[in-house]
Every structure is written in C-alpha cells, then in structure tokens.
Amino acid sequence: MARFIAQRAAWAIPVLLIVTFLTFWAVRSATDPVQSYLRANTRATPEMVEEYKEKHGLNGAIPEQYFTWLGNFLTLEWGNSIKGNRPVWPDLKAAIVNSLILGITASFVGITIGLGIGILSALRQYSKFDTAATGASFVGISMPPFVSAVLLQVFFAVMITGWLNLDKPFLPVAGIYPPGQTTFDLGLRMKHMILPVTVVAIQIIAVYSRYMRASLLDVKESDYMRTARAKGISERRVIMHHALRNAMIPVVTVAAIDFGAIVGGLIITERIFEFHGTGDYLITALGNGDFPQIMPLMFIIVSSVIIFNLLADVAYAWLDPRIRLG
Amino acid sequence: MSPTPGSTRGSVLVDILTPIPGDPVEAPVLEDLEDLTIESKSPTQLALRRYRHHRAAMISSVVLLIIALVCVFATFVAPYGENEAIDSADGGLRKEILVPPNSQFWFGTDSIGRDLYSRVLYGGRVSLFVGIASAISSVLIGTAVGAFAGFRGGKIDNALMRFTDLVIGLPLLVLLIIMRLLPEKQPWAATVLGEPGSKRLMVTLITIFAWVTTARIVRGVVLSLKEKEFVEAARAVGASDKRIIVRHLVPNTIGPIVVSMTFIVAVAIGLESTLSYFGFGLDPTQSSWGNLLADAGTSVITGKWWLVFFPAMILLITILCINFMGDGLRDALDPKQEQKVI
Amino acid sequence: MKTMSNRPRWLLLLFVFALVVAACAGDTESTTTTGAPDEATTTAASGETTTTEPAVESAMTITVDINPDAVWSDGTPITAADFACTWTASLNTPGSIRTAGYDQILSVAAGASDKQVVIEFATTYAPYRDLFYYVIPQHVVTDPTCMDISGDFLDAYPVSGRTWQLTEWSLDQAILEPNAAYWGDDTPVATRIVQVPRQDDGGIASLGAGEVDFIFPQAFAGITDALAADNIQFVPGYGTNYEGLYFQQGADRGGPFSDPVFREAFSKSIDRELILANIYDPIFPGSELLQCGLWVPTLGPWCDNTQFVDSYDPEGAVALLEGEGWTLNGDGFWASADGTVPEIKWMINTPNPRREATQALMIPEFAEAGFNVVADNGDADQVFQQRLPAGDYDLAMYINTASPDPTVTSVMSCTQVPSAENNNQGQNSVFWCNEAASDLMQQSDIEVDIDARADLIHQIGQALVDDHVMVPLFQFPNVAAWRTDRIEGDAPGADASNYRAFNNSSQVWVPLGDDTEIIIGAEQWPECLNPVTECANSSWMFWTTEAAVFPAIWDTTADGSYVLTSLVTSEPTVVINE
C-alpha cells in the first residue's frame, strides 16, 4: 500500500505546477491586469504603468511571469486588489471561511441523509418508498439550483412571513447574520444557514442516495454475499457487516473528492443568499478583471482538488483489502 | 469519480456522468413463456424490451419527443414571432405588456409584449441544439480517447486516469466563466472557440470538459471487454489492433456511450441555463430557456409568476425526461444484463 | 446671487472687463485629465505657498470661516489644513476621479487664523459650490502632504466630522452611530443606521419580509405592483439620472453618423413616444419624455424642457434623404446614391433587461423606417470602460447623471474629443465638435450670474438639437420604499427618493416603537471607502456613508439648491479679482 500511495503522491507536485500554470495563463489572457489598473487609475502616467508592471512581474514571457507570481504567492506577498486597493488576504480569508462553513455543513447533512435514503431504498427495492425516493432524487438532480434557491427564498422568507404576519422574517432572506449583528452568535449564524444549506443539500441528497442505492444493490447480489448467506450468517449481519462496508468504498472516495471541491464555492447559492463566499468573490473579481484577487484563489482551489484526490486514492487503497494487503 | 452536484459546486458533469451501476434486473417470470421457446431474440429486441419495462423512461421518451418536435417546428407551431412585440388590441402605442396567461397568450407575455409561449418554443431550439451538439462532440472525442487508452493500457491509461480525475474535480462553473472571458479579450480565442455569446462557444466550452466523462466510461468498458474470449479469439486469428477496436470493442460500448450521451445533454442544457442566468451564457437576443429565466429575474415577487414558471417547468421537465431516458437506456443496454436474461 | 447684490457696481464693470479679457485670451482651460500629477503648487499646512511655475494671477478668492466648534470625533479641530489636504489629495492621488474644479485652484491656505481658509482660483470657476463636499482629515492620512491617499480609507473612516460616525464596515454590512463630538443642532434620533447589501429583488424580498426598513430599488416595469402592500410606502421622485440615445459622429471614425444628413434623418425617425409607452410608462404610469439634452428640469434652471419636443419627424426624414439622393432598396433599407446601405451598430451593456427590451422593440421599428440597425452589445466593463471612450459604436444607449452644476465643458467641448493631445482620455465619446458651442461652454463656466449662465446653457442645449448629437429619453425616478410600520418620515417628499435622505436622517427619518435602528438595504456595495479614488464612483456609497461622515461646506438638496452646513458660520465670501 505504501508503494501505491507513494506512486500517487509523486504525481501530485508536477500536476499541481502544470495545472496552476495553465490556470495562470488562462486567467492572464482572460483578464488584463494592466487594463484593470488603468481603469482604476485613469490618470496614471506611462511611467506609473511601467512601475506597476515591474512590481507585479507583468513583463516578459508567460512562463517567466508565472514563476515571478509563484514566488510572490509562496512567500505570501499577495499584494492589493486593483479596484479597491485593499489587501487580498483578509477578504479572501473571510470568503473561504464562509464557503467552508456552508460547504461542510451542507455536505454532512446531505451525505448523511442521502446515504440513509439510499440504503433504505436498496433494502426495500421497488417499494413505494423506493419509487418515491427515486422520483424525488431525479427531480433534485434536474432542477437548476437557481430556480430552487429563489423559490425557497420567496416561499419561506416572504410568503410565510406575510401569512403569519410576523415582525421578523420567518427564515432570513439573505446574509450571514441579521442586519446590525456585530457579535458572534451561533444560533443566528445557524438560522441564516438553513435556506442555503437546504438548497445545496437537496442536490447532494439526490446524487448520493442514487449512488448509495446502486452501490449497495450491486454488492447485495454479488457472489461473496451469497457465500456469507450460505454460511448461515443472519441477513442483518450480512448487510451491516459485509454489504455496507463494501458498498461504502466507492462512496467514500467520491465524498473525499467532493470535499476537495468545497473551497471552490457555490456561485449561485452565494449570490442569491448574499452569503459571501469564494464563488461570489471569484465572480466579482472576474468581472473586475482583478488579477491579484483571482490567482491566489484559483491556486488554492486547484491545490485543494489535487490534495483531496490524493486523499481519495489513499482512502480507496486503505478500504479495499485487495490493495491494502497486496 | 465524484458525484458532486456540480451546478452548485462547479463540477456539474461529475454527478450523473459517472457510471452508476444500474439496478440488477429481476429474474424473468414464467409468464414470459416465449423465452422458453427456441426462437432467440436479437440483442436489440431484448434491449427494447427492457427499455419498455422502464415505465418512467417510456413516458419520458414520449414527452421528450413531443417537446422536441414542437420546438423544431417552432416556425409553424408558434403563434407569434420570436421577438415580436405584439400590438395591443386597442391600437394604442403600447404593446401587450405583461399580460397574464389567457386564451390568446397561453403562457402570458413578457415585459415588452412578446408571447412567452412562442419564445419558449423558439428557445427550445437553441437549448436543445446546445445540448445535443455538446453531447455528440463530447462523445466522439471521449470515445476515441477512452477506447485508445483502455485498449493500450499501461502508462497511457494511467496518465489518462490521473488527468480525468483532476478535470472532474475542478470547479466547472468557474472554469467555464474564465474561458468564456477569453474570447472577449483575445481575438485568437474568438476565432478558435467562437464569438462571445454564440452557440458555438457554448458548445465548445462544454465539450472541452464533457468528453472526459465519456472517455472514462468507454475506457472502463474496453478494459473489461479486453479480457473476454472473443478478443483473444480475434487476436488468435490474426486481427490487427485497429480491427479489434472497431469491429469488436466499439459496438459493445454503444450502450454506455448512448447512456453517457443522454446525460451530457441534460447537463449541458442545465449548464447553459445557469450561465445565461448570470449573463455569461448566450447572447440575450437568442431566447434560450436560460435567457428567458434571466429575463424574468425573480418575477415571482412582483406577481408576474408566469415569466418564471413556464420556462422553469419546461426546463425541469426536459432535463428530467432526459435523465429518465438515460436511466432506462442504461438498464436496457448494460452488457452485464445480457448475461442474466436466460 | 446673494453675494453679488451687496457689491458696488464698479466691481460688476470690472467683472465684465475680466470676461472680455478672458474671452479674447482664448483657451485658458488647463486640461489635467491626463498625465502627470499636477506639480505646479504645493501647500504646506502652515499656509505657505511654493510654486514652481511663474505665478498665475488669482481670478477669484473664496474665504471660508470654519465654525470654531467644529472638531473631528477625536477632538482635533477642523482647520484650513484639512481643506488644503482635500485639495491636494483630490488633485494628486493617482487614482483620483475628483480632479474637476480642483485643477482650477492655485492655493488653499489659512487666513487670519487656521479656522479661516483662503482659496485662490486661476479662473472665475462658477461651479465652486461643488467643491469641498468631503473635507479630508489631514491628521489621519498616512502621507502628511496628502499627495497620495489611495492607501487610506480602505475599510474604515477613523474619524468623523459630521452627524454620524462609521463604527463598522465590511463587505457584509456598514454601521453608523451618532457622533458624540458633533457640534451641530441636528442630532439624530435613531441610535444606529445599519446598511446591508441586498441586490435587486433580494432588496424587495427583504423589505417585504421586514428584514430591512428602507430600500432604494432600481426602477423596473412592475415595481409598483412589487411594492404594493399595506405596510410599504414608496415615493418615486425625479432623480438626476436620465437615459438617452447618443450618436457617434466622429468624422475619421467612418461611422454612418458622420454624415450629418443621415444622422439627422435617423434622429428624426426615432419614435420616442413608442419607447415611452412600452419601456418607461410601465414603470411609472403617466410619465413623460425628457425633452432637453444633458440636464433635467428638476435640477436647476438649466433644462429647457421643450427643445426636443418635435424630434420625431418621419416624413421630414424621408424628404431629407430623398433630397440627397437616397432610395429604398429591395430589402426596404435606405441606400445612398452609390448604393451602400449603412449598418448602424447599436451598443448597450448587458445584462440590462430594460435596454435589451428597447433594442428588441426598436430594431424592427427602425427596419420598417428603412434603417439597418444591429445589436452590438458587451458587458458593462467593455461598454463603459473601453468601447464608449474609444468611439467603437454608432448608436449607444446609457444613463448619465446631471449635476446641479450644468457644466458640460468636460464632456462636450471640442478639446474633449479623444485625440493624441489628451492621450485619448477625452470624455467626448460622441466626437461632437462645434466650435461655437465649445466657446459657449467655456463662457458658461466663468459666468457667475445664474440667469446669464442659464441663457448660455440653453443655447448649448439648442446646439445639441441642431447638430443631432443625441436624443434624450427619460429622466429616471429614484424610488425610495420603506416600511411604514418601522420608520416614519417628516414630510419625506422628493428628498426620500434621493439617497441623501439619510444625510439628514435626524430630521427626516425616525424609527417607530421600541426599535431605534434604521436598516437600509443597499443595491450597490463599493469595494472600499476612499472618497477620491474609483471606489467613490458609487453614488450609493457617497450619499449614504461618505456624506454622513465627512464635513462639507454646502449640502445639495433634491431640487438642486445649496444649503450651508454647520461646518461654517456664514456663507463663504467670494471675491472676483481683476
């Protein structure tokens, strides 16, 4: 197993460098930092533009620019944004924290419920529950999230508040905290997360329930299950000890990769619920052509994906006895 | 492989495009006495039979066919033009703005007096075109690459797997938006990929990321088929690699490929609508379903519910039907199933 | 003008003499819209002036007497040094967008004491009341010479010189609390003003749900229905934004509108009433078209609201074209005598549902009238930052903001046509050059008498009509909507629909019941708080936050008049030097 992991890990660094280089090149081509700088500083002299370019390593060939940028990035000199001239890190950190909180909570809720539904569906195949769950999960997969987000927002925040004639909204319309909140309050934080988490969780539940169901069904009918039953082990033990464990293997590896994608943010949900995370941050930065804001985030996202891919491989290796012991 | 609900995370493709094993088929019951006769059915007929058993897929096929026909023949079916602002009945300067659904305008009218029903029909052409074109080109590229990698095995296969793992995990929406900005800033990108806001650019962008999933599926199937006896036999007879791939392997991958293709259509349509909603999609002059939703904003709040309801419903139904069809096709065409029907 | 009526008559004669001299001397404007920071003068806090250029005669002197009680919230008195800092920073900060007017100032120095400010101008700058509406505290900026304040005020206002102080600002909310050190009488009733970002319909949803008390939504068709509720009241007041169609007529751009005949014919073929009926009337039933060029009737006497009334004249257009040898070709489009059919590229920024709707409405109409108009759109960045300044369009549709001061010299004069001389930074993106009108513009800038000035402005307006530079469409209402069960206003009226309603929130808005806060949903949220750089381009940020914290000499009211604030003890004296 150690060899397996080492093999995979050896790939990680070169892949990271190549992918970030490609990203750098794509972002650099899609946004022009010099242009953005000129827009924010309409009266800049050619000398000032040159100085800006020198300072940020915007001269020279793309690979050269990439390594200059990489050097700055790794030494944590991330500079200021172009438009607001604010340091990049504090805003980015706040955005990442928000996205992580939303993503991790939604993932836990979604995966737990999804797995539960999937297992039940598999155990009661073709029952009413199964049919209903299948139908619901297809709807969940097919509905574009911006539709469900807006519908939920309108229904729970506006309509119910109106019907019940409440003073404060039944569920918050948007934001991380109610307006005016300056201190940390766990209860309020959680209340404001209910709708965004629901929107995301719907999709996660739909996908994971289908996946778990199929995986468990696959395992349930396989040969070694038949052997276990033939040996006289109770059906319950068969399922709990053997089937589930084996069915979980692909699900776990998949979940690991999912977690890697969390830091990339959820653009739609964040926009609609004013939940300022990395998705929103990125869209705004892209719109402004704000290169110093875009690249560090892209690097972090790519790193996260690669690292969690590696973790998924490790998890798979450890869980699959054929690899662990082989 | 990760079933990330992409439209929220960014990796849209991964969720449905990974090969989820289908339901094991129940053993045939004795009523199917025909099965006990000597007359054998061709694989196609068996597949069709299995497909017919999947009720949801059957209903979806019919619904989808109706939608597709009506949209394709929109010029004849639609009562009004795509961008025609309808003059008001009383002859004033003002057009028929924001009329709720009635007998004349089945889906109501929008904010400048265009018939929403007609726009939905015309929009279907755009959305369906984007979906199908993306799927076809993704599948072509993916099949070629996947078959080659699976057949060759070894280092090439390894490299492909690492590559696809990576691509699948990356936040798709983010990358799409970045790439969408490229043609605006760089003229060379506009010629290669397509003009900003054009259907061609949308299809190209989706294809760039979607072929990966087909490649994985095909590679998996080819890998499992490689070990089968008929391949060994073909080799023993002296068939070349190319002949083996084309004559023996590819026909057996048709099933998963078709399944993959239907799912890509669904995902592509969803992606296009999401991008258009945020203004990164198609040109607003094209009435794709995503653009219609973008136009409507959240008109639910303003009471103009029909502007959101009808495009959203048609979008949902179409994607749902495609997903069900894909599920049915997978059940019908899964090579594993063939062995179980005795 | 009040000040003028007290002056002896001989000064008036001197002033007329000065005008004549100025007119004969030609272009005295210095265009510092591009290039190097102004290195002409520097002023130290003590009031000494050092110049590196030959001394320019001061044409106008303004003396301001600062209120002796005026202090910043940390106790430091507000002095002439702060005014000097404001001038230096506005002019020299690299990203500053607030140079207009400050480039006419020669020096800002302390007078009899440091509570008196003496400002010397190089010309008789008429719109002087638009200056110093944000006085910068010199003692908190990193650079004591105030040459570059782009690194300050990024996410906080450390001190306040007015009714409110900013206690918290992030990308999620801004909180204003009463400034205890404020010396004026108008102290607020509310204990806090909280602002949160709520875009578009999110704002309306928030208002309906009671999450916010007050919003300024963008007007859209159906907004009246959206805001219809028992506990919501809204006021559409005429704001200072107006939308129009602009024709790019640069001769060397080669566009179809460089031909004055074609341009006039097209202008006469625009059925503005149709646009009103289908685009603007649904927003606010009963609205009317705007009939003057670059001003609005509700802000000062500058707008002659009759000038464009007869702009729609389709028969006249046909006669004009046929007279010049144009004929309708097989497709129904006008072809010139040599057979070319001009293609008119209509540029708007997307996404923008209202403008897209206008295009969808009018392009078929134009085709019927014989004009081949095609949509050629881009995103806001492309349109406003690249293509408009470069003249890369034929027909454009966008919103401009009228200021209480009518000067259009900086956007419409001949010298503002983008060219090598101004580093292609000129603001005249329609490439209109009318020498006579340009002269009128410069005259109006130094004409201090309001009636005479209004007359000059009206003449410039007529030139806009005659030269077919643009057609105005609609003066946009600002919409203010609030929960009547949360806050009440003291005769809000027109003030409500102006963002600056919260400037005087102590008088205008009062929270009801136990609630002592006012919560506002903001549909713009700037990237930073700097009062002179790009961040300040957000009028939302300015009116609701900056203006609540920074002291100013005058406040503008919703109808364009100026009132003194408690920063000064009396109206500043203005002396026209010879």
Side-chain angles (χ1 to χ4, degrees):
Chain A
M1 172 162 135
R3 193 170 61 97
F4 178 81
I5 298 178
Q7 221 179 31
R8 295 279 202 262
W11 272 106
I13 305 277
V15 168
L16 182 64
L17 285 177
I18 294 176
V19 174
T20 50
F21 171 72
L22 287 173
T23 318
F24 178 91
W25 178 68
V27 175
R28 182 80 178 75
S29 310
T31 66
D32 190 352
V34 177
Q35 233 181 41
S36 308
Y37 174 77
L38 279 174
R39 274 206 304 276
N41 298 279
T42 45
R43 295 162 52 244
T45 58
E47 294 89 48
M48 291 170 65
V49 174
E50 263 316 303
E51 194 191 310
Y52 180 81
K53 284 167 78 170
E54 274 306 309
K55 183 162 161 233
H56 289 83
L58 295 174
N59 288 321
I62 295 277
E64 195 188 315
Q65 291 187 30
Y66 170 68
F67 283 110
T68 316
W69 174 82
L70 189 61
N72 285 337
F73 175 79
L74 291 174
T75 53
L76 296 181
E77 281 174 33
W78 292 3
N80 291 353
S81 66
I82 295 181
K83 187 154 182 213
N85 200 25
R86 292 156 54 95
V88 169
W89 173 238
D91 291 337
L92 185 53
K93 183 178 83 155
I96 291 179
V97 165
N98 275 342
S99 276
L100 284 180
I101 292 179
L102 184 59
I104 293 179
T105 314
S107 291
F108 265 122
V109 169
I111 293 180
T112 336
I113 299 182
L115 290 185
I117 294 181
I119 294 173
L120 276 177
S121 287
L123 295 180
R124 292 178 172 65
Q125 197 181 6
Y126 300 128
S127 68
K128 282 216 186 75
F129 175 84
D130 183 31
T131 328
T134 307
S137 58
F138 267 104
V139 173
I141 294 175
S142 310
M143 175 170 296
F146 61 88
V147 174
S148 50
V150 167
L151 287 177
L152 280 177
Q153 192 184 45
V154 168
F155 184 71
F156 282 101
V158 182
M159 288 189 180
I160 292 194
T161 314
W163 294 338
L164 298 178
N165 238 334
L166 292 173
D167 207 36
K168 284 213 161 11
F170 178 67
L171 278 182
V173 173
I176 326 179
Y177 276 118
Q181 181 75 19
T182 43
T183 52
F184 176 75
D185 184 324
L186 188 62
L188 286 175
R189 195 76 155 89
M190 285 171 55
K191 189 171 176 200
H192 275 253
M193 279 175 60
I194 295 179
L195 282 181
V197 165
T198 309
V199 170
V200 181
I202 288 176
Q203 295 241 315
I204 301 182
I205 292 174
V207 171
Y208 273 87
S209 66
R210 287 297 293 168
Y211 207 71
M212 187 65 199
R213 176 181 183 274
S215 184
L216 188 53
L217 280 176
D218 209 30
V219 166
K220 223 173 71 165
E221 302 304 322
S222 60
D223 292 336
Y224 60 92
M225 285 296 122
R226 233 178 286 150
T227 313
R229 287 195 195 95
K231 284 202 313 197
I233 306 175
S234 74
E235 183 69 14
R236 186 188 152 87
R237 207 176 149 76
V238 163
I239 300 292
M240 295 297 283
H241 262 217
H242 297 283
L244 262 184
R245 284 180 65 182
N246 287 299
M248 288 286 280
I249 296 178
V251 173
V252 163
T253 54
V254 155
I257 297 184
D258 256 3
F259 274 94
I262 289 182
V263 80
L266 309 124
I267 297 176
I268 301 159
T269 317
E270 289 170 15
R271 256 281 155 100
I272 294 183
F273 290 105
E274 298 277 357
F275 207 91
H276 298 135
T278 50
D280 196 51
Y281 182 90
L282 202 50
I283 295 279
T284 316
L286 281 170
N288 288 334
D290 213 318
F291 191 79
Q293 282 184 327
I294 302 173
M295 268 320 291
L297 182 55
M298 290 305 298
F299 193 95
I300 293 177
I301 292 176
V302 170
S303 310
S304 169
V305 167
I306 291 178
I307 291 175
F308 276 90
N309 257 336
L310 193 57
L311 283 177
D313 284 336
V314 170
Y316 188 78
W318 189 71
L319 286 170
D320 189 339
R322 291 173 290 183
I323 302 184
R324 174 157 43 119
L325 304 171
Chain B
M1 315 200 294
S2 73
T4 324
S7 27
T8 51
R9 298 288 174 92
S11 334
V12 181
L13 293 173
V14 299
D15 57 352
I16 315 160
L17 295 175
T18 51
I20 302 175
D23 301 339
V25 172
E26 42 185 25
V29 289
L30 277 172
E31 278 106 280
D32 294 318
L33 284 172
E34 311 133 52
D35 287 335
L36 299 180
T37 66
I38 302 176
E39 176 201 329
S40 62
K41 290 194 152 49
S42 74
T44 328
Q45 285 170 310
L46 288 171
L48 267 174
R49 188 127 146 277
R50 280 196 293 272
Y51 188 81
R52 278 205 306 271
H53 275 154
H54 194 304
R55 267 204 324 243
M58 283 303 293
I59 301 177
S60 301
S61 314
V62 173
V63 171
L64 208 52
L65 193 61
I66 297 178
I67 294 180
L69 279 175
V70 161
C71 289
V72 164
F73 291 109
T75 350
F76 304 105
V77 177
Y80 295 97
E82 183 181 2
N83 276 310
E84 182 193 338
I86 300 142
D87 292 315
S88 63
D90 57 16
L93 274 180
R94 178 141 154 189
K95 314 271 182 185
E96 296 274 17
I97 293 180
L98 291 173
V99 177
N102 57 19
S103 52
Q104 188 189 3
F105 307 112
W106 292 353
F107 287 179
T109 62
D110 69 0
S111 57
I112 56 168
R114 293 176 292 199
D115 176 34
L116 191 60
Y117 177 62
S118 308
R119 281 173 65 76
V120 165
L121 291 183
Y122 280 104
R125 283 208 272 187
V126 178
S127 296
L128 287 174
F129 171 79
V130 169
I132 294 175
S134 310
I136 293 179
S137 45
S138 306
V139 156
L140 285 176
I141 301 177
T143 308
V145 175
F148 183 71
F151 192 71
R152 280 278 182 225
K155 282 216 171 71
I156 298 180
D157 179 46
N158 227 353
L160 179 70
M161 279 302 98
R162 300 273 71 74
F163 178 70
T164 54
D165 268 342
L166 193 58
V167 172
I168 284 182
L170 290 174
L172 184 61
L173 260 184
V174 170
L175 290 174
L176 277 179
I177 292 177
I178 292 181
M179 300 207 59
R180 169 75 170 72
L181 289 177
L182 262 178
E184 283 179 26
K185 301 282 197 302
Q186 308 279 352
W188 64 263
T191 22
V192 168
L193 298 172
E195 295 297 322
S198 68
K199 294 197 278 277
R200 176 164 160 241
L201 179 65
M202 182 68 58
V203 170
T204 315
L205 289 182
I206 297 179
T207 307
I208 290 179
F209 294 98
W211 72 264
V212 160
T213 50
T214 312
R216 284 179 72 105
I217 294 174
V218 169
R219 173 242 180 208
V221 172
V222 167
L223 269 185
S224 65
L225 287 179
K226 233 170 52 168
E227 313 304 322
K228 293 246 188 318
E229 291 87 11
F230 65 88
V231 174
E232 276 192 43
R235 243 196 253 278
V237 174
S240 73
D241 278 352
K242 183 162 151 232
R243 193 177 165 82
I244 294 181
I245 294 182
V246 172
R247 283 298 301 271
H248 299 283
L249 292 179
V250 169
N252 280 297
T253 61
I254 294 284
I257 288 179
V258 171
V259 170
S260 168
M261 206 166 107
T262 50
F263 286 133
I264 295 182
V265 174
V267 164
I269 294 182
L271 261 182
E272 183 270 315
S273 69
T274 308
L275 284 173
S276 297
Y277 182 74
F278 280 101
F280 290 108
L282 292 169
D283 206 34
T285 54
Q286 307 187 64
S287 52
S288 79
W289 291 335
N291 274 331
L292 288 180
L293 277 171
D295 284 347
T298 51
S299 302
V300 177
I301 294 182
T302 61
K304 315 281 181 268
W305 56 272
W306 59 92
L307 293 178
V308 174
F309 181 74
F310 290 109
M313 279 316 293
I314 195 91
L315 191 62
L316 180 59
I317 291 176
T318 307
I319 297 181
L320 200 55
C321 287
I322 297 176
N323 279 329
F324 275 132
M325 266 184 67
D327 202 45
L329 280 172
R330 186 173 47 211
D331 276 356
L333 295 172
D334 188 345
K336 261 194 346 198
Q337 318 288 18
E338 298 197 15
Q339 298 159 346
K340 294 199 177 171
V341 179
I342 297 177
Chain C
M1 267 179 53
K2 241 174 37 184
T3 51
M4 285 296 285
S5 57
N6 297 332
R7 297 291 159 215
R9 217 163 293 182
W10 58 266
L11 248 188
L12 188 53
L13 283 173
L14 263 179
F15 166 63
V16 170
F17 177 64
L19 256 189
V20 172
V21 168
C24 294
D27 188 3
T28 56
E29 287 259 354
S30 60
T31 53
T32 51
T33 51
T34 72
D38 193 344
E39 55 200 273
T41 61
T42 58
T43 303
S46 62
E48 286 173 31
T49 308
T50 54
T51 54
T52 52
E53 276 185 358
V56 179
E57 292 284 324
S58 158
M60 185 166 86
T61 310
I62 299 185
T63 313
V64 181
D65 285 303
I66 308 175
N67 191 318
D69 298 329
V71 291
W72 297 103
S73 54
D74 60 357
T76 320
I78 303 181
T79 64
D82 300 314
F83 280 77
C85 183
T86 311
W87 168 57
T88 318
S90 304
L91 200 51
N92 297 309
T93 304
S96 172
I97 58 171
R98 301 244 188 261
T99 56
Y102 292 103
D103 51 6
Q104 300 301 312
I105 296 181
L106 293 171
S107 68
V108 177
S113 69
D114 60 2
K115 277 291 192 180
Q116 190 185 68
V117 195
V118 176
I119 311 169
E120 307 280 357
F121 283 80
T123 61
T124 50
Y125 188 68
Y128 62 86
R129 286 197 178 90
D130 274 352
L131 301 174
F132 297 104
Y133 59 85
Y134 52 92
V135 177
I136 296 176
Q138 192 257 351
H139 63 290
V140 301
V141 301
T142 25
D143 174 7
T145 64
C146 300
M147 288 289 285
D148 182 353
I149 63 166
S150 58
D152 298 293
F153 308 113
L154 294 181
D155 54 11
Y157 290 142
V159 295
S160 158
R162 217 153 174 184
T163 354
W164 298 93
Q165 56 178 345
L166 187 65
T167 54
E168 180 185 314
W169 190 86
S170 70
L171 293 176
D172 294 314
Q173 70 179 0
I175 299 186
L176 295 164
E177 285 173 9
N179 176 13
Y182 183 59
W183 61 93
D185 296 326
D186 47 334
T187 45
V189 173
T191 55
R192 270 202 321 182
I193 295 183
V194 178
Q195 300 170 22
V196 286
R198 290 286 183 269
Q199 290 182 23
D200 311 315
D201 308 295
I204 297 183
S206 278
L207 188 71
E211 208 172 54
V212 300
D213 303 328
F214 200 105
I215 56 173
F216 290 109
Q218 302 272 350
F220 59 89
I223 189 174
T224 36
D225 291 328
L227 293 173
D230 286 335
N231 54 8
I232 292 182
Q233 190 180 344
F234 63 95
V235 169
Y238 280 94
T240 53
N241 293 328
Y242 60 92
E243 190 154 58
L245 292 167
Y246 297 82
F247 310 117
Q248 201 279 100
Q249 51 173 278
D252 28 333
R253 312 295 306 174
F257 292 139
S258 51
D259 172 2
V261 170
F262 187 73
R263 188 171 77 242
E264 182 176 340
F266 184 78
S267 170
K268 287 187 160 149
S269 308
I270 304 179
D271 187 353
R272 296 159 67 227
E273 291 287 339
L274 185 68
I275 301 180
L276 176 73
N278 289 292
I279 305 292
Y280 301 115
D281 193 71
I283 301 179
F284 285 108
S287 347
E288 290 179 3
L289 284 172
L290 179 65
Q291 306 286 10
C292 73
L294 301 172
W295 304 276
V296 291
T298 53
L299 203 61
W302 322 114
C303 167
D304 177 352
N305 214 17
T306 61
Q307 287 176 335
F308 279 91
V309 165
D310 298 320
S311 79
Y312 182 50
D313 180 14
E315 291 104 14
V318 170
L320 196 63
L321 285 173
E322 283 176 346
E324 290 289 321
W326 292 73
T327 49
L328 286 169
N329 72 358
D331 295 324
F333 292 132
W334 285 109
S336 65
D338 58 10
T340 46
V341 175
E343 181 187 77
I344 302 169
K345 296 196 299 234
W346 186 355
M347 176 180 78
I348 61 168
N349 62 300
T350 54
N352 186 308
R354 186 185 63 251
R355 291 183 193 140
E356 287 160 29
T358 315
Q359 275 187 333
L361 177 74
M362 293 307 290
I363 289 183
E365 297 284 331
F366 287 138
E368 262 189 56
F371 296 98
N372 182 18
V373 179
V374 296
D376 182 17
N377 308 328
D379 64 35
D381 228 27
Q382 272 187 323
V383 166
F384 295 116
Q385 313 282 5
Q386 296 168 34
R387 295 181 56 188
L388 209 54
D392 180 18
Y393 66 96
D394 298 318
L395 179 68
M397 177 179 181
Y398 55 89
I399 288 185
N400 252 335
T401 307
S403 92
D405 176 83
T407 183
V408 291
T409 317
S410 54
V411 289
M412 282 303 187
S413 68
C414 283
T415 53
Q416 282 297 316
V417 174
S419 65
E421 280 86 43
N422 51 35
N423 270 353
N424 286 317
Q425 299 276 351
Q427 307 281 322
N428 186 342
S429 54
V430 288
F431 286 69
W432 174 53
C433 181
N434 179 325
E435 293 290 349
S438 277
D439 288 339
L440 287 173
M441 289 179 210
Q442 275 150 29
Q443 277 184 49
S444 77
D445 273 349
I446 57 179
E447 170 57 73
V448 200
D449 173 53
I450 290 200
D451 294 320
R453 197 157 181 235
D455 189 56
L456 292 170
I457 299 289
H458 292 167
Q459 290 179 51
I460 300 174
Q462 192 57 43
L464 287 173
V465 181
D466 298 333
D467 279 359
H468 303 279
V469 177
M470 47 95 69
V471 286
L473 290 174
F474 188 61
Q475 180 187 9
F476 265 93
N478 285 337
V479 181
W482 65 93
R483 288 283 297 254
T484 50
D485 49 351
R486 296 292 175 82
I487 57 179
E488 68 179 4
D490 180 25
D495 256 350
S497 55
N498 194 329
Y499 296 148
R500 62 174 304 287
F502 285 93
N503 239 357
N504 287 328
S505 57
S506 50
Q507 279 102 19
V508 180
W509 297 107
V510 169
L512 291 176
D514 301 325
D515 181 22
T516 56
E517 299 185 338
I518 301 178
I519 305 178
I520 310 178
E523 85 291 345
Q524 281 178 36
W525 203 262
E527 306 260 318
C528 70
L529 294 168
N530 197 300
V532 301
T533 62
E534 180 64 25
C535 302
N537 220 357
S538 162
S539 51
W540 171 270
M541 187 271 278
F542 171 70
W543 290 120
T544 58
T545 315
E546 204 179 298
V549 173
F550 282 98
I553 305 177
W554 288 277
D555 265 345
T556 47
T557 63
D559 62 359
S561 52
Y562 294 87
V563 291
L564 287 177
T565 68
S566 52
L567 177 66
V568 295
T569 47
S570 55
E571 178 83 28
T573 54
V574 179
V575 175
I576 311 291
N577 308 319
E578 104 185 48

